[in-house]
């Protein structure tokens, strides 16, 4: 499979995307609850729709798929059990694990005689190609410019709700010799909770850049992703100095922040990029997470 095409469409009553190989179509959306990992909600083979269901499991390491409805001599869907400590953290490798587990369940149903199709299961190489395409698609539509773990697609984010990018850093004075923060387990709660695609931030909580030593401690990347920045007002904060306050909106909710290693605090540094040359620097004044997203106020420095 040399090239794939990802198309925006609908399946299972949801706005999603599809990617095809031969007679098989995979329908997926991005779930912020799992570090923006793709959630495949349906597989269609020769016009037959196979719904995909998910649950957490204590007995599997990565992901294992099971054909549903075999007792009734029919395939009514696929159940994917996801281990709470999934072995890999890499975006496209996680996608490959999910696709392979679904394919194995479909093959199981065919072998059992519950799904009467002459189906050629995609090879590992083909699954790998699809997974890379899905990962590239995610970065392109949700982040556009960059992500903390890769420098691909330099440019401006292609997201009208969040047209800018920002980086929030925190100086950790507690233990400057500690290891870099580890990404929170994306399968911790609901592994495949539905979230609007437009609210995906493209930032998975693991910067990939690690911490760097600062004069006063270790510098930690708290957030690196898309945002919307706008001027708020100018105030006389101290009675002597005029302070320019800016507002930044980030598509992460209270629940999203609770799953992360760090949250922004007053005093953290913020850098906002608006296009290729416009850059704003500042210091965070207030961090206000909500159920629909997060607002951050910062003092504009330069």
């Amino acid at each position: 499979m040399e090239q794939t095409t990802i198309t925006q469409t609908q399946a299972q009553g949801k706005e999603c995307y599809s990617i095809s190989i031969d007679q098989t179509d995979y329908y997926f959306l991005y779930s912020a609850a799992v570090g923006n990992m793709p959630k495949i909600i349906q597989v269609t083979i020769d016009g037959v729709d196979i719904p995909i269901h998910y649950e957490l499991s204590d007995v599997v390491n990565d992901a294992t798929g099971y054909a549903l409805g075999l007792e009734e001599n029919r395939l009514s869907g696929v159940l994917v059990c996801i281990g709470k400590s999934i072995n890999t953290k890499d975006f496209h490798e996680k996608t490959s694990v999910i696709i392979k587990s679904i394919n194995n369940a479909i093959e199981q149903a065919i072998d059992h005689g519950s799904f009467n199709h002459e189906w050629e299961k995609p090879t590992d190489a083909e699954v790998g190609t699809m997974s890379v395409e899905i990962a590239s698609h995610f970065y392109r539509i949700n982040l556009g410019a960059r992500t903390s773990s890769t420098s691909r697609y330099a440019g401006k984010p292609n997201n009208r709700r969040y047209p800018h990018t920002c980086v929030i850093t925190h100086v950790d004075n507690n233990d400057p010799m500690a290891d870099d923060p580890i990404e929170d387990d994306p399968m911790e709660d609901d592994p495949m909770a539905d979230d609007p695609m437009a609210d995906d931030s493209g930032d998975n909580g693991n910067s990939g850049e690690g911490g760097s030593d600062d004069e006063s401690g270790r510098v930690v990347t708290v957030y690196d992703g898309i945002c919307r920045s706008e001027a708020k007002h100018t105030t006389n904060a101290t009675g002597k100095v005029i302070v320019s306050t800016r507002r930044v909106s980030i598509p992460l909710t209270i629940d999203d922040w609770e799953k992360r290693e760090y949250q922004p605090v007053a005093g953290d540094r913020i850098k906002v990029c608006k296009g290729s040359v416009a850059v704003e620097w500042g210091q965070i004044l207030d961090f206000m997470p909500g159920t629909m997203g997060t607002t951050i106020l910062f003092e504009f420095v330069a």
Side-chain angles (χ1 to χ4, degrees), residues 5 108 112 114 157 185 194 251 253 292 300-301:
T5 300
Q108 172 192 354
H112 192 275
S114 299
D185 184 356
D194 295 331
T253 66
M292 300 294 290
F300 177 69
V301 175

Side-chain angles (χ1 to χ4, degrees), residues 96-296:
S96 294
V97 168
I98 296 296
I99 294 176
K100 288 178 182 178
S101 68
I102 293 171
N103 290 345
N104 290 340
I106 295 172
E107 187 177 51
Q108 172 192 354
I110 293 174
D111 293 342
H112 192 275
S114 299
F115 190 55
N116 299 318
H117 272 74
E118 293 183 1
W119 179 61
E120 184 174 348
K121 185 170 78 169
T123 65
D124 289 351
E126 290 172 327
V127 171
T129 299
M130 283 195 296
S131 300
V132 170
E133 289 294 325
I134 291 173
S136 298
H137 178 261
F138 166 78
Y139 292 127
R140 185 166 61 251
I141 68 165
N142 286 304
L143 194 57
R146 52 206 283 279
T147 179
S148 52
S149 59
T150 182
S151 299
R152 72 187 76 185
Y153 306 121
K156 185 178 179 181
N158 183 23
N159 189 320
R160 285 179 290 180
R161 291 186 62 188
Y162 302 100
H164 310 133
T165 62
C166 69
V167 180
I168 299 172
T169 53
H170 171 74
V171 178
D172 187 354
N173 296 306
N174 296 327
D175 186 4
M177 300 303 294
D179 293 333
D180 295 342
I182 300 175
E183 177 184 2
D184 289 337
D185 184 356
M187 305 300 173
E188 191 172 61
D189 295 314
D190 182 356
M192 289 296 177
D194 295 331
D195 288 278
M197 286 181 293
D199 287 342
D200 288 342
S201 72
D203 174 67
N204 61 10
N206 182 16
S207 70
E209 300 170 356
S212 59
D213 291 335
D214 183 89
E215 291 181 359
S216 56
R218 186 170 59 102
V219 178
V220 177
T221 301
V222 179
Y223 177 79
D224 187 342
I226 58 176
C227 69
R228 182 176 67 255
S229 177
E230 55 191 349
K232 184 176 183 290
H233 54 71
T234 300
T235 58
N236 194 335
T238 63
K240 297 180 180 179
V241 180
I242 299 297
V243 177
S244 179
T245 304
R246 305 294 175 92
R247 177 193 292 115
V248 168
S249 299
I250 294 174
L252 289 182
T253 66
I254 294 177
D255 292 339
D256 294 329
W257 286 112
E258 287 179 350
K259 299 174 185 177
R260 300 166 71 91
E261 183 76 13
Y262 291 90
Q263 297 182 11
V265 296
D268 283 354
R269 307 163 185 169
I270 184 169
K271 174 184 177 183
V272 179
C273 299
K274 296 181 175 181
S276 58
V277 294
V279 178
E280 297 176 349
W281 295 85
Q283 188 174 52
I284 290 180
L285 299 173
D286 199 4
F287 166 62
M288 298 173 286
T291 57
M292 300 294 290
T294 296
T295 298
I296 291 177

Side-chain angles (χ1 to χ4, degrees), residues 72-92:
E72 293 79 19
N73 200 35
R74 62 182 177 84
L75 176 63
S76 59
V78 170
L79 173 66
V80 179
C81 293
I82 299 177
K84 291 183 179 179
S85 299
I86 192 166
N87 285 341
T88 180
K89 299 293 184 182
D90 186 86
F91 188 100
H92 72 82

